[in-house]
Amino acid sequence: NDPETAVLSLHALTDLFFNLLNQPLKSEYIDDNGGLRIHTTNWSFENLFKECFYPVFDYGKKDRYIQKTLIDMTGQLLQSNANEAVTALLKQFRRMVEKEIDTSLT
């Protein structure tokens, strides 16, 4: 419940999301005989991002340390992404953070 913990969490989440962008989760697992053993339904990047990053933003939107980290972490994800939908989501989130920064400066 402090900014440092939130920032450490954002760093860990960004690493996980970076991996998700570069190695999407499998939804089907095949056994040694070639038969389908497990079929899962995975959350989309967008849904996971909203579930993980938005609550941290809500908690720390007035904290400059958290604001800067959110900008930095979304920037890292933007650099490693080629998906247009994900890019749009990340840019929208970043604009929301920047707007909060602008509001807090006035």
Side-chain angles (χ1 to χ4, degrees):
N1 291 336
D2 65 288
E4 182 65 29
T5 302
V7 166
L8 289 172
S9 297
L10 286 169
H11 283 277
L13 283 170
T14 300
D15 288 343
L16 292 170
F17 278 95
F18 177 81
N19 287 334
L20 184 59
L21 285 172
N22 293 295
Q23 297 175 335
L25 297 173
K26 293 183 350 181
S27 61
E28 294 183 346
Y29 296 85
I30 309 299
D31 65 19
D32 292 338
N33 298 321
L36 178 64
R37 283 307 228 182
I38 300 172
H39 177 79
T40 62
T41 303
N42 298 325
W43 283 30
S44 68
F45 180 96
E46 293 86 347
N47 286 339
L48 281 172
F49 184 87
K50 288 176 182 177
E51 286 292 319
C52 295
F53 274 72
Y54 278 71
V56 177
F57 170 75
D58 290 340
Y59 163 78
K61 63 184 167 188
K62 299 293 184 192
D63 186 289
R64 288 188 185 123
Y65 186 37
I66 293 173
Q67 291 169 341
K68 180 186 180 319
T69 302
L70 288 167
I71 294 292
D72 292 345
M73 297 300 100
T74 53
Q76 288 181 18
L77 292 172
L78 279 165
Q79 289 178 356
S80 65
N81 174 53
N83 180 304
E84 290 182 27
V86 170
T87 296
L89 170 72
L90 294 171
K91 286 182 176 181
Q92 176 188 18
F93 181 78
R94 193 171 179 155
R95 281 191 303 272
M96 183 177 67
V97 176
E98 289 168 344
K99 182 178 177 186
E100 190 61 43
I101 292 169
D102 291 343
T103 301
S104 65
L105 293 176
T106 57

